[in-house]
Amino acid sequence: MENLQKTNLITMTLDKVDFQLQEEQNFDWLKQYGAVFCVFDQQDSGNISFGVEKDERKFFVKYAGSKPIDFTGNPEDAIERLKKAVPVYQSLEHQHLIKLLDHFSTEIGYALVFEWFEGECLHSHWSFGGIAKYTNPNSPFYRFKKLEVEKRLKALDAIFSFHTYVESQRYVAVDFYDGSILYDFKSNETKICDIDFYRHSPSINDFGEDFWGSNRSKSPEEYGLGAPIDSITNVFNLGAIAFGLLGGERDRSFSKWDANQGLYEVAIKAVEEDRNKRYSTVKEFYDAWKSVLN
């Protein structure tokens, strides 16, 4: 079935940029935002995204309603998910989150328009899939891991600060992983993107093993149907991200850790398999992290 999908793809062109879908679709509505300069067509969420520029201003447009290359679901479900994401971006507006500017229905879909951020995604699987993420010198993740520790700590501070705010607004992060992190190597600025699945807290795992997220940063409860998804879950996620950006990712030994022992001890407590041994809130985790840094 998968190979059949791959061979039956339609190649479309918008403003000299080629991309592929499983079915043709009219994107004339995009013209109001200018010329397309890039397309992200390899997401399995059912969304396709465009970089668009008009009068020297750039936008990131995320759209549901088509059938992207790797999407096996129903476009109607993707549209509903994208509509539900709007109040999440509005409620969690923050200096470290990409900024939602507009959202609207098209003839058969739904679009969200964001301010463009010149960052690169730390899990750019469409360009550096598999081992290339870790070994190709052009991979954003590889380049990030080569930065001095201070710059990586600053990026983590942005991530922890944002998620402390998420917690204060009574939300819980869902599907947060290194693919949600954008890093601008020129300005050393970090922003979070793709918070579409964040929910009101507390929540529960309503999918079981296939709960949203990456195996690199999912907590044990994110594999168990009916398990709580809450601040303690997010403490694990953030600890796992710290090991991804400062350590050996799923190899959490101190020998792979690039920062000091105090920060290692904070991170290792955050990723305890037993929920009761972790920090009880994101704020408590972030405070412990800052107290070691200071």
Side-chain angles (χ1 to χ4, degrees):
M1 172 66 187
E2 194 172 304
N3 289 337
L4 187 69
Q5 266 186 6
K6 297 281 186 192
T7 52
N8 287 345
L9 295 174
I10 308 278
T11 298
M12 297 190 62
T13 306
L14 290 176
D15 303 307
K16 300 180 187 167
V17 180
D18 293 340
F19 61 99
Q20 292 185 305
L21 289 174
Q22 295 175 45
E23 295 173 355
E24 196 154 347
Q25 192 160 126
N26 183 344
F27 288 101
D28 283 351
W29 55 268
L30 256 179
K31 289 176 183 164
Q32 63 185 305
Y33 286 99
V36 173
F37 62 86
C38 68
V39 180
F40 303 93
D41 62 354
Q42 293 183 46
Q43 311 299 322
D44 59 8
S45 60
N47 300 322
I48 184 168
S49 300
F50 304 90
V52 188
E53 184 168 17
K54 184 178 187 180
D55 301 330
E56 296 187 3
R57 191 177 178 195
K58 291 179 176 178
F59 305 94
F60 177 82
V61 182
K62 186 185 244 186
Y63 172 76
S66 62
K67 284 193 174 175
I69 303 173
D70 294 323
F71 186 53
T72 54
N74 180 345
E76 292 298 320
D77 296 336
I79 291 168
E80 276 315 299
R81 283 199 293 267
L82 201 56
K83 283 181 178 175
K84 281 183 182 165
V86 171
V88 178
Y89 284 94
Q90 291 170 333
S91 302
L92 298 178
E93 189 173 332
H94 189 273
Q95 61 177 349
H96 299 309
L97 175 68
I98 60 167
K99 187 175 177 60
L100 179 67
L101 300 172
D102 197 8
H103 57 97
F104 52 88
S105 292
T106 67
E107 198 178 344
I108 58 167
Y110 204 77
L112 270 55
V113 182
F114 296 89
E115 212 168 65
W116 180 265
F117 175 63
E118 285 297 345
E120 295 178 64
C121 176
L122 294 190
H123 182 67
S124 46
H125 62 85
W126 51 91
S127 307
F128 302 98
I131 196 71
K133 171 183 174 178
Y134 303 95
T135 57
N136 189 316
N138 296 316
S139 146
F141 186 82
Y142 179 95
R143 283 153 53 219
F144 184 86
K145 288 294 292 265
K146 293 290 178 194
L147 294 173
E148 56 260 44
V149 171
E150 285 67 29
K151 285 182 178 170
R152 286 183 276 157
L153 285 171
K154 187 186 167 206
L156 278 170
D157 191 76
I159 293 162
F160 297 164
S161 151
F162 172 65
H163 285 95
T164 304
Y165 180 69
V166 168
E167 179 180 74
S168 75
Q169 298 305 297
R170 300 199 173 146
Y171 273 81
V172 61
V174 172
D175 195 28
F176 175 68
Y177 69 115
D178 49 9
S180 320
I181 302 168
L182 302 173
Y183 189 77
D184 184 339
F185 287 88
K186 289 197 178 101
S187 68
N188 298 310
E189 196 181 351
T190 304
K191 283 204 192 283
I192 310 296
C193 64
D194 209 9
I195 63 163
D196 300 24
F197 293 116
Y198 285 32
R199 307 171 171 186
H200 288 290
S201 178
S203 187
I204 61 159
N205 178 343
D206 45 12
F207 279 106
E209 239 175 86
D210 296 327
F211 192 74
W212 304 100
S214 159
N215 294 336
R216 296 185 300 284
S217 48
K218 271 168 76 169
S219 66
E221 53 265 39
E222 287 169 291
Y223 294 94
L225 187 64
I229 302 295
D230 55 16
S231 285
I232 302 175
T233 310
N234 283 172
V235 166
F236 186 102
N237 304 142
L238 296 175
I241 288 290
F243 278 103
L245 304 189
L246 285 175
E249 205 165 76
R250 281 193 274 187
D251 177 350
R252 294 176 183 145
S253 54
F254 182 62
S255 60
K256 295 272 172 80
W257 183 253
D258 293 335
N260 65 38
Q261 179 143 10
L263 290 177
Y264 175 79
E265 282 164 13
V266 174
I268 204 75
K269 179 177 175 178
V271 294
E272 281 278 2
E273 294 288 303
D274 180 348
R275 291 172 45 88
N276 300 316
K277 292 182 179 172
R278 296 176 212 154
Y279 297 96
S280 58
T281 65
V282 171
K283 184 182 185 303
E284 190 188 335
F285 161 72
Y286 186 34
D287 285 347
W289 182 268
K290 285 189 294 188
S291 75
V292 174
L293 271 178
N294 296 334

